[in-house]
Amino acid sequence: MRKKLDNRASALSALMWLLLLALIPAQLSARDFKYTYNGQTLIYTVVDESAKTVMTKPGTDEDPGNLVTGDLEIPSEVSDGTNTYKVTAIGNTGFYMCKELTSVVIPTSVTSINEWAFANCKKLERIDIPSSVTSIAEAVFVSSGLTSVNIPSSVTSIGEIAFKKCRKLERIDIPSSVTSIYREAFSGSGLISVTIPSSVTSIGKFAFSDCDKLESVEIPNSVTTIEDGTFRECNSLSSIVIPNSVTTIGSEAFKWCHNLKSITLPESLTKIGDGTFVWADKLRSITIPASVKELGSNVFSMCLSLREIKFEGNEIPKTDLGTFWESPEFTQIVVPADKVDAWKALFAEHHSWPKCTITDKYTPVKKTITGVKPTPVDMGLSVKWADVDLGSATKTTSGKLLKLSDQDMEAYLGEGWRVPTEGEFKELFKNCVAQLYLNQAGVPSKVVYTSKKNGAKITFYFPKTAFIKNGEKLVNPLKGTYQTMYACYGSDVMLSVAAKLPEHIRKPIQDYVAAAKVKSMNIADWPDEMLKWLKSNAEGVNLDSKFLYGSKDDFVEDVNVDIFECFFRPVYVVDESSDED
């Protein structure tokens, strides 16, 4: 028995020694040491003691591995005083939020730059990535100050949010070695133009979304899907050609592309997803190829300039209950002659769809405003303003015409009218008291501006038009729906609008309305005690211009509009079917 126990003890002892030996390299690999090169001291973490390899020390979002400033050059070899080690990697979150780091040179010994390595380095303008690196990791440069970056031909993929919110990064050369661009890789960046090489077969969701400056993009015919939100909120994108390899355009791919005027769809396309062109409000016409078999919901919602949707196929695509919901009624649905009745029947089945004209040939509609004689009003300003009710638009081709857009909208106003400049609008706003009026449904109907200089008044109607003297065109300075205006006037609309306001403003308004039952339709008529109460209880409320709204920052993230554009962005308007060109 004793012999058996001795044998068991010996075996256990041997096992423990083996475990200890196995642990030694791991323990050594975890150690850190400092090394100074070209005046910069970095902390390095041993990766493999036997192979003598290290990485720059990893960190966390609260504690970066290294906190450095200025220009950084990372050496290919470092020493702990006894041994020399090869630098093979940049640790994850290694230089996170190094706010004064301006440039980085990485040696060719490095094969991987890990996640979040240089994220939030706001002053980092330039980095040299060596040809030894094969991928751009997730979030590696997110929210950095990069103005230029060289991606070597060794790189095969660009990771999720790798360059997201790099607002100063206006151009980038994507090498032909890259095959995949992952989700949100360039979202919110400052890219002006981008050419995607034919090696790329996959572009992730929202890859180029919120690129406000993006004017042009070339998509190769190696791509088969435009994923959800790929170009959403690309407000400078005016035209794009989808290659004949693409079979699917995902949901909201071009949503809020406010300046998109032209898009070419390929004959390979079979599906257009939900909300693809929502608020593409400069898009005037679009041709749906015969290959398209399915249209999602809200595809053309709020395309305020869309005159023509041409369907080339003899087969009606599968539609959704909301396919044409919130599409303009003036849009003409152009289909093959023998399919007109079938399309009319389809629209008749869907009561939520607009009453569009179904036809086999597009006919431009010339709407001319006749008998309009605007009277200039002297507001004591640098230009004379005038208002006019354009509610009685008639179809005619006679008379002296003033062209308002590319082809459709014309108006006779006589000589001497032009579009106000932004400076002239600001002059008006600065020197007037504004009162906004709403109808019983709580929808804005007009804004009356009263001059502080001479008491003269000018009225801007919704969605009609205001004019100024000495020019040629019309303008409506108030763009946007009730949902994006956030103006509160009168108890019957205050509560519904207050629900959209920030908590610190919403709660006091709701409480006061419940107690006071104020019924006035404009702030100018509210009792002094209400205004005093709001000023003392609703932090962030601005009453200077008789508008009640929260600070700009309260709304920008939520509705993605600037306060000035929300209220006053100039738009050519004759009726609800016109648009700015």
Side-chain angles (χ1 to χ4, degrees):
M1 177 67 71
R2 183 173 181 177
K3 186 176 181 179
K4 289 182 179 179
L5 290 173
D6 289 340
N7 288 340
R8 289 179 180 176
S10 297
L12 182 60
S13 177
L15 180 60
M16 290 180 64
W17 275 108
L18 288 172
L19 289 172
L20 287 172
L21 287 171
L23 287 172
I24 287 174
Q27 291 171 339
L28 290 175
S29 295
R31 71 183 179 88
D32 300 333
F33 63 87
K34 294 181 179 180
Y35 182 77
T36 301
Y37 180 77
N38 284 350
Q40 291 274 23
T41 299
L42 298 182
I43 303 173
Y44 295 88
T45 298
V46 174
V47 176
D48 188 324
E49 189 66 65
S50 61
K52 295 294 186 287
T53 57
V54 296
M55 68 170 70
T56 60
K57 183 184 177 182
T60 67
D61 56 0
E62 296 180 353
D63 182 23
N66 287 280
L67 190 60
V68 293
T69 62
D71 300 325
L72 173 65
E73 183 177 359
I74 300 172
S76 59
E77 291 184 338
V78 295
S79 174
D80 65 352
T82 303
N83 297 306
T84 298
Y85 295 83
K86 183 179 181 180
V87 180
T88 59
I90 308 298
N92 61 292
T93 328
F95 297 92
Y96 181 80
M97 286 194 72
C98 288
K99 296 180 179 180
E100 300 300 321
L101 182 63
T102 54
S103 70
V104 179
V105 176
I106 299 172
T108 55
S109 58
V110 170
T111 58
S112 64
I113 305 173
N114 290 309
E115 294 89 345
W116 299 87
F118 297 98
N120 282 299
C121 294
K122 299 297 185 183
K123 293 185 179 180
L124 178 61
E125 295 185 349
R126 182 179 62 84
I127 188 165
D128 292 336
I129 301 172
S131 58
S132 50
V133 172
T134 58
S135 66
I136 305 297
E138 175 184 335
V140 65
F141 300 113
V142 65
S143 295
S144 71
L146 284 175
T147 57
S148 65
V149 60
N150 176 41
I151 300 178
S153 58
S154 55
V155 170
T156 60
S157 64
I158 300 175
E160 290 189 11
I161 66 173
F163 296 96
K164 184 175 182 177
K165 293 188 177 181
C166 292
R167 299 293 187 186
K168 297 179 181 180
L169 185 64
E170 294 187 345
R171 284 178 174 81
I172 193 165
D173 291 325
I174 301 174
S176 58
S177 56
V178 172
T179 59
S180 299
I181 299 173
Y182 288 94
R183 183 185 179 106
E184 298 182 71
F186 296 97
S187 177
S189 69
L191 289 176
I192 294 176
S193 65
V194 62
T195 299
I196 302 169
S198 59
S199 56
V200 172
T201 58
S202 172
I203 302 174
K205 296 178 180 180
F206 304 97
F208 296 94
S209 64
D210 193 27
C211 290
D212 273 341
K213 297 180 180 179
L214 187 63
E215 297 175 356
S216 65
V217 58
E218 293 184 22
I219 304 171
N221 59 14
S222 53
V223 173
T224 59
T225 300
I226 306 297
E227 294 284 0
D228 296 352
T230 300
F231 299 101
R232 192 174 79 168
E233 295 183 78
C234 291
N235 286 320
S236 298
L237 190 65
S238 60
S239 65
I240 191 168
V241 176
I242 307 300
N244 58 17
S245 56
V246 170
T247 60
T248 301
I249 298 179
S251 298
E252 301 186 2
F254 297 94
K255 184 177 182 179
W256 291 317
C257 289
H258 291 296
N259 283 293
L260 183 65
K261 296 180 179 179
S262 170
I263 184 167
T264 302
L265 302 180
E267 294 182 357
S268 57
L269 189 64
T270 60
K271 180 180 178 180
I272 300 176
D274 297 344
T276 300
F277 300 106
V278 171
W279 275 111
D281 45 356
K282 293 289 184 63
L283 190 64
R284 300 184 64 83
S285 65
I286 187 169
T287 298
I288 310 298
S291 57
V292 172
K293 306 301 180 185
E294 183 176 351
L295 296 172
S297 181
N298 298 80
V299 174
F300 306 105
S301 291
M302 306 310 295
C303 290
L304 302 181
S305 303
L306 191 57
R307 304 295 198 267
E308 176 188 13
I309 304 174
K310 182 179 181 180
F311 288 90
E312 293 187 323
N314 287 316
E315 181 182 343
I316 298 178
K318 177 184 177 182
T319 58
D320 182 275
L321 287 173
T323 295
F324 293 94
W325 189 74
E326 286 191 331
S327 300
E329 285 197 2
F330 57 80
T331 301
Q332 295 180 39
I333 309 298
V334 181
V335 301
D338 60 348
K339 297 298 177 182
V340 169
D341 289 341
W343 274 94
K344 286 182 177 180
L346 179 64
F347 268 71
E349 292 174 7
H350 296 82
H351 300 295
S352 63
W353 291 8
K355 295 178 175 61
C356 296
T357 299
I358 313 296
T359 179
D360 63 346
K361 183 180 180 181
Y362 175 68
T363 304
V365 177
K366 300 282 187 178
K367 287 191 175 181
T368 303
I369 311 306
T370 59
V372 174
K373 295 181 180 180
T375 303
V377 177
D378 183 3
M379 308 286 286
L381 306 177
S382 62
V383 295
K384 292 183 179 180
W385 293 74
D387 56 47
V388 63
D389 187 341
L390 296 178
S392 57
T394 59
K395 295 182 181 180
T396 179
T397 57
S398 62
K400 186 172 181 179
L401 303 180
L402 175 64
K403 198 166 186 178
L404 297 179
S405 64
D406 290 0
Q407 53 187 324
D408 297 339
M409 309 307 299
E410 296 178 330
Y412 172 62
L413 294 175
E415 299 291 342
W417 301 98
R418 70 167 172 80
V419 177
T421 65
E422 182 174 311
E424 288 164 345
F425 276 118
K426 289 182 176 179
E427 178 191 28
L428 179 76
F429 306 147
K430 181 180 179 181
N431 291 284
C432 293
V433 174
Q435 297 177 354
L436 183 142
Y437 292 80
L438 299 96
N439 61 25
Q440 292 182 348
V443 176
S445 59
K446 65 181 179 179
V447 178
V448 177
Y449 288 95
T450 303
S451 173
K452 296 177 183 177
K453 294 182 177 292
N454 59 17
K457 296 180 184 293
I458 179 75
T459 301
F460 291 168
Y461 296 93
F462 294 86
K464 299 164 188 177
T465 311
F467 308 89
I468 62 173
K469 188 66 176 167
N470 298 322
E472 296 177 347
K473 294 188 178 181
L474 320 182
V475 67
N476 178 351
L478 296 161
K479 178 181 179 179
T481 63
Y482 176 57
Q483 287 74 21
T484 60
M485 295 191 100
Y486 296 98
C488 305
Y489 298 85
S491 61
D492 54 343
V493 294
M494 281 182 65
L495 289 177
S496 61
V497 180
K500 301 178 182 296
L501 295 171
E503 175 66 22
H504 70 275
I505 300 176
R506 180 174 70 248
K507 188 62 165 62
I509 291 176
Q510 290 171 332
D511 291 344
Y512 190 88
V513 171
K517 298 186 182 301
V518 177
K519 295 181 179 180
S520 173
M521 291 301 281
N522 62 77
I523 290 179
D525 296 331
W526 289 358
D528 290 341
E529 63 267 26
M530 180 177 182
L531 299 180
K532 291 178 181 178
W533 183 90
L534 282 172
K535 285 182 178 180
S536 61
N537 288 275
E539 178 186 355
V541 171
N542 184 342
L543 297 174
D544 293 341
S545 65
K546 302 301 180 185
F547 283 133
L548 175 60
Y549 53 79
S551 68
K552 177 179 176 180
D553 290 339
D554 288 329
F555 303 117
V556 169
E557 288 298 321
D558 220 10
V559 300
N560 198 40
V561 291
D562 181 273
I563 286 296
F564 179 85
E565 287 198 347
C566 181
F567 281 93
F568 308 120
R569 180 181 174 185
V571 180
Y572 301 150
V573 173
V574 169
D575 59 16
E576 292 178 344
S577 68
S578 61
D579 67 298
E580 179 186 13
D581 287 308

